[in-house]
Amino acid sequence: MSLSSQILANASEQIIRAAASVKLLVLDVDGVLTDGRLYFSKEGEILKAFNIQDGLGIKLLQSAGVQVGIITGRTSTPTQNRAEELGMNFIVQGRTDKLPALEEKRLQYGLELSEIGFLGDDLPDIKCIQRVGFGICVANAHIALVQIADWQTEKSGGSGAVREVADLILAAQGKLDKIMSCYLI
């Protein structure tokens, strides 16, 4: 059984169709790309830990033609640095009402809402998850998101949830097995 078949085996046809339509994946940061904890150095600098598998998932999506961006309510240098390191298409920080930022990016990229996926974890993400074609929450998301999301990851934020979404999207689009073949002998 191929990796794509394994990943898609437990997904409904509706989820597979939604994931196959994604041209832009938008991510929250704290609780999605990180485990949600904030660390402060002695000097007061904010430190965050990012999952390396999530980073590869973002790069794989980009290599397959799926754009990836960030919309987050907080503003932090570590987030900016990580987004730049991954070559993400955009980063919008300091927007507590994320829906207007999502609409700005949708228009900028000339996409329909049905072509956008959004991955979040808490209340500020609800409006975006409700509006996009593929609304996703992490395993440890607030119950309000679990109730409205199209799909919930098995992994928690900061622990590979983004990679799980990337693999699902790539499998649904028929691109994952070809990508995987580049890594096999």
Side-chain angles (χ1 to χ4, degrees), residues 97 99 102 123-132 148:
D97 186 355
L99 191 56
L102 178 69
L123 300 179
D125 304 318
I126 286 180
K127 290 178 185 176
C128 292
I129 287 174
Q130 288 178 310
R131 293 294 306 270
V132 298
I148 58 102

Side-chain angles (χ1 to χ4, degrees), residues 3 17 23 36 45 52 57 68 109 117 122-123 125 132-133 135-136 138 161 174-177 185:
L3 182 58
R17 278 193 306 276
K23 294 182 179 177
E45 179 184 12
I52 199 75
V68 183
Y109 287 92
D122 213 337
L123 300 179
D125 304 318
V132 298
I136 317 152
V138 296
K175 298 174 181 176
L176 184 61
D177 292 329
I185 296 176

Side-chain angles (χ1 to χ4, degrees), residues 15-40:
I15 295 304
I16 294 170
R17 278 193 306 276
S21 298
V22 173
K23 294 182 179 177
L24 169 64
L25 178 63
V26 181
L27 307 169
D28 179 31
V29 176
D30 298 319
V32 172
L33 282 168
T34 74
D35 65 8
R37 292 185 280 178
L38 297 175
Y39 300 90
F40 292 89

Side-chain angles (χ1 to χ4, degrees), residues 2-176:
S2 73
L3 182 58
S4 288
S5 297
Q6 291 174 25
I7 289 170
L8 298 175
N10 295 324
S12 69
E13 284 300 315
Q14 179 183 357
I15 295 304
I16 294 170
R17 278 193 306 276
S21 298
V22 173
K23 294 182 179 177
L24 169 64
L25 178 63
V26 181
L27 307 169
D28 179 31
V29 176
D30 298 319
V32 172
L33 282 168
T34 74
D35 65 8
R37 292 185 280 178
L38 297 175
Y39 300 90
F40 292 89
S41 71
K42 191 168 109 177
E43 295 78 26
E45 179 184 12
I46 295 175
L47 307 172
K48 298 182 183 198
F50 296 93
N51 185 291
I52 199 75
Q53 289 182 351
D54 288 344
L56 181 57
I58 290 166
K59 297 300 275 181
L60 295 175
L61 283 169
Q62 293 169 319
S63 73
V66 176
Q67 300 174 80
V68 183
I70 288 173
I71 299 176
T72 181
R74 295 182 59 84
T75 301
S76 78
T77 302
T79 298
Q80 184 71 39
N81 293 343
R82 184 63 171 151
E84 289 174 4
E85 177 184 39
L86 293 172
M88 295 178 82
N89 295 87
F90 64 84
I91 177 170
V92 178
Q93 296 194 74
R95 297 287 290 271
T96 53
D97 186 355
K98 298 176 183 185
L99 191 56
L102 178 69
E103 181 62 15
E104 290 165 14
K105 292 303 175 183
R106 182 192 74 76
L107 293 171
Q108 179 183 345
Y109 287 92
L111 298 172
E112 299 297 323
L113 286 168
S114 62
E115 299 172 310
I116 301 173
F118 190 97
L119 177 58
D121 74 308
D122 213 337
L123 300 179
D125 304 318
I126 286 180
K127 290 178 185 176
C128 292
I129 287 174
Q130 288 178 310
R131 293 294 306 270
V132 298
F134 190 31
I136 317 152
C137 68
V138 296
N140 59 329
H142 187 277
I143 187 70
L145 274 74
V146 174
Q147 293 175 346
I148 58 102
D150 298 314
W151 191 67
Q152 183 179 19
T153 64
E154 291 182 14
K155 297 190 178 197
S156 295
S159 297
V162 174
R163 177 60 177 276
E164 189 178 341
V165 172
D167 287 348
L168 176 67
I169 291 170
L170 293 168
Q173 294 181 359
K175 298 174 181 176
L176 184 61

